[in-house]
Amino acid sequence: MTTWRAELHYRTTDIDPAQVADHLAESAAVVHYHSEDHVLRLRAGLDGHDLAAATAAACHWADDVDAVLAAGGVTASPIRLTVEDAAAGPLRWAAGAHEAAEILGVSTARLRQLDGKEGFPHAVLELAGGKVYHADEIETWRRTRPVDRGGRPRKTSPDE
Amino acid sequence: MDTVGEAMAVIAEEAERQGFQVRQTRSAMWHFRKGSDNWIFAPRSTLDVVDALSMLISAGLDWK
């Protein structure tokens, strides 16, 4: 039996997260509420033999939560339900300059030189804090890159 | 206090020291607040505690 984790997101109006958590004490191990974007995130552990069983259990859980929220007078619309193996860990697709340089085994200064060279992965985002790359693309480039000997280009003699 | 409760108490103490507002709303329910973010944890297992800690670390809790 695998342990799964389900996460349910709702868009809400202003709520008192402590009061909502009180209603959901039996249904959710984690309640997160961001009071500016009004998104309520609920998390619960589920058991299931496989993903299909876990997904079915997550749908039942979502129905139960809907009923509890409605009974508590909470106005909330579900916007997302995700199910993952509890051992899956966080998604780590994004790599900033530091992480990308680490994957390549180079300094961030060298990464800046490589960025923009033909064949080097394009950044997927450019933020004020720097570029964000897809970690898989950086890893693929590392495995397939041409050998880089570093240093100055060699001088060629006229007869070469 | 059970192991889960003890672990949460340690996390709560450190989070409070680092500027999170922490309140134990029921014996097994913990409310952490930082800016606009509110987390309420009702951990029943060590996996739930690890989950809670990883969410707080993502929110800036320095845990070394």
Side-chain angles (χ1 to χ4, degrees), chain A residues 3 5 17-18 21-22 24-36 41 43 86, chain B residues 23 25-26 29 31 33 35-44 47-48 51-52 54-55:
Chain A
T3 302
R5 188 187 288 122
D22 242 16
L24 295 169
E26 301 305 316
S27 319
V30 177
V31 173
H32 173 256
Y33 179 64
H34 194 278
S35 56
E36 277 176 19
R41 294 196 296 155
R43 219 182 238 211
Chain B
R23 205 153 48 88
T25 53
R26 290 187 193 185
M29 201 183 263
H31 187 170
R33 184 176 184 165
S36 306
D37 283 306
N38 292 270
W39 299 264
I40 294 152
F41 302 113
R44 296 179 197 95
L47 180 66
D48 291 339
D51 232 15
S54 70
M55 290 181 101

Side-chain angles (χ1 to χ4, degrees), chain A residues 147-160:
Chain A
V147 177
D148 179 9
R149 298 183 195 284
R152 282 186 186 173
R154 292 177 64 190
K155 282 184 184 167
T156 51
S157 60
D159 51 325
E160 263 183 348

